[in-house]
Amino acid sequence: IWFIPVVNPDGYAYSWTPGNRYWRKNRRDNEGSSCYGVDLNRNWELGWGGGGSSGDPCSETYRGTAGFSEPCTQAMEAFYIAHPNLVASIDFHSHGEYILYPWGYQSGPCGDDGMHQEVGDVMHDLVAAVHGWSYTVGSIYDDLYPASGGSVDWTWGDQGVLSYTIELRGPDFVIPPSEIIPNCEEILPAALYLAEWCSSPMKFIFPEGLPQLVQANEQTPVRVDITIWGGAPIEPGTEKLLARIGSDDPFTASDLTDLGDGSYEG
C-alpha cells in the first residue's frame, strides 16, 4: 500500500500564506500572463482539454499547455508506470461527501460493467455505519460535474487501476478541525475494504442483480460476469451455478453458458 500525502507541494505550501488558504493550483509561472498556476487535476492526459477545464491561465481550473505538462503530474505518471502491480487507488479531496469514479471527461459508463458502482456502494455503507454520514456514489461527470484531465480517468482508462475520488465531509474546502478525526474514522473502513477487495483475485459481478424470487418449474436466468484480477484466463468448463431449495438441501450444479468477454448465464 502506497501513501502519497501531497501531489501539489508548492501549491499546498502557498495555501498557508496569508490570504491564500483556498489556493488549489500549483505555482507555475504562466508566461505571458499575470496569473500563476495549473490545476493539476485538469492536467492528466486522458481527456485533457475537454469540458470542465479552462484554457485561461487565470481560471481556477486552468489545464496547462498540454496533458502532463507539469512536473508533479509527470511524477505521478512515472510512478504508476513504474508500479504496474497497482490495482486500485483513492484520491482524497475536499469537499462534498462523494465517492466518485470515472468518467470525468465524458458522460456514460466507464466500461467496467458496474464494478466501480458495486464497490462504491459497499464503501458508502461502511462510511455511513460509522457516524451516519451518507456519501453520494457515482461518476464524476454524471453525479458531480464535467472535469476533464482528472487523475482517476487516466489511472483507470490508461492503467486499468480501479480508481476513486473521495470528496470528504464538511461545509467548505477547509474542513473544520473538529471534523478531521471523525472524517478519518468513517473513511478508514471504506479504504480497508477496497484494499481487501483487491487482494481477492476472482470477482463475481451480477450486472442485472440477483433474483429475489424464483418460480417452481420455471427457468430463472442469472447473469454473472467473472473476472480474475490481472487478466488470467478462466479454465473452460469450471464455471458452475450452484442452487438449492432449502438451507439443508444439497446443492445442484449446472453449467454456465459462456456469453463471451467474461459474461455467463445460468
Side-chain angles (χ1 to χ4, degrees), residues 6 29 68 146 153 167 171 243 255:
V6 179
D29 182 359
F68 291 135
D153 282 3
E167 301 278 0
D255 293 330

Short mmCIF file of all heavy atoms in Angstrom, two decimals, residues 6 29 68 146 153 167 171 243 255:
data_model
loop_
_atom_site.label_atom_id
_atom_site.label_comp_id
_atom_site.label_asym_id
_atom_site.label_seq_id
_atom_site.Cartn_x
_atom_site.Cartn_y
_atom_site.Cartn_z
N VAL A 6 0.89 14.45 -0.50
CA VAL A 6 0.62 15.69 -1.22
C VAL A 6 1.17 15.56 -2.63
O VAL A 6 2.35 15.26 -2.82
CB VAL A 6 1.28 16.91 -0.52
CG1 VAL A 6 1.00 18.18 -1.32
CG2 VAL A 6 0.78 17.06 0.90
N ASP A 29 4.63 29.58 -13.22
CA ASP A 29 4.67 30.92 -13.78
C ASP A 29 4.17 30.84 -15.22
O ASP A 29 4.89 30.38 -16.12
CB ASP A 29 6.10 31.47 -13.73
CG ASP A 29 6.19 32.91 -14.26
OD1 ASP A 29 5.15 33.46 -14.69
OD2 ASP A 29 7.30 33.47 -14.26
N PHE A 68 -0.05 16.36 -18.90
CA PHE A 68 1.23 16.06 -18.23
C PHE A 68 2.29 17.13 -18.51
O PHE A 68 3.47 16.83 -18.62
CB PHE A 68 1.77 14.68 -18.64
CG PHE A 68 0.95 13.53 -18.10
CD1 PHE A 68 0.62 12.47 -18.92
CD2 PHE A 68 0.53 13.51 -16.78
CE1 PHE A 68 -0.13 11.41 -18.44
CE2 PHE A 68 -0.22 12.45 -16.28
CZ PHE A 68 -0.55 11.39 -17.11
N PRO A 146 -18.74 17.95 -15.08
CA PRO A 146 -17.67 17.60 -16.02
C PRO A 146 -16.32 18.07 -15.48
O PRO A 146 -16.20 19.18 -14.97
CB PRO A 146 -18.05 18.34 -17.30
CG PRO A 146 -19.51 18.60 -17.18
CD PRO A 146 -19.77 18.80 -15.72
N ASP A 153 -9.53 9.38 -14.31
CA ASP A 153 -9.78 8.97 -15.70
C ASP A 153 -8.54 8.31 -16.29
O ASP A 153 -8.61 7.29 -16.97
CB ASP A 153 -10.18 10.18 -16.55
CG ASP A 153 -11.63 10.58 -16.33
OD1 ASP A 153 -12.31 9.97 -15.49
OD2 ASP A 153 -12.08 11.53 -17.00
N GLU A 167 -14.56 12.76 -1.99
CA GLU A 167 -14.69 14.14 -1.54
C GLU A 167 -15.15 14.11 -0.09
O GLU A 167 -16.23 13.60 0.23
CB GLU A 167 -15.70 14.90 -2.41
CG GLU A 167 -15.35 14.94 -3.89
CD GLU A 167 -14.35 16.04 -4.22
OE1 GLU A 167 -13.94 16.77 -3.28
OE2 GLU A 167 -13.99 16.18 -5.40
N PRO A 171 -18.62 21.54 5.34
CA PRO A 171 -19.37 22.54 4.59
C PRO A 171 -18.51 23.39 3.66
O PRO A 171 -19.02 24.28 2.99
CB PRO A 171 -19.97 23.41 5.70
CG PRO A 171 -18.95 23.36 6.79
CD PRO A 171 -18.37 21.97 6.73
N ALA A 243 -27.27 -24.30 -6.94
CA ALA A 243 -28.57 -23.87 -6.42
C ALA A 243 -29.15 -24.93 -5.51
O ALA A 243 -28.90 -26.13 -5.67
CB ALA A 243 -29.54 -23.59 -7.58
N ASP A 255 -24.23 -26.16 -15.58
CA ASP A 255 -23.22 -25.44 -16.33
C ASP A 255 -23.66 -24.01 -16.61
O ASP A 255 -24.86 -23.73 -16.79
CB ASP A 255 -22.93 -26.14 -17.67
CG ASP A 255 -22.26 -27.49 -17.47
OD1 ASP A 255 -21.53 -27.64 -16.47
OD2 ASP A 255 -22.46 -28.38 -18.32
#
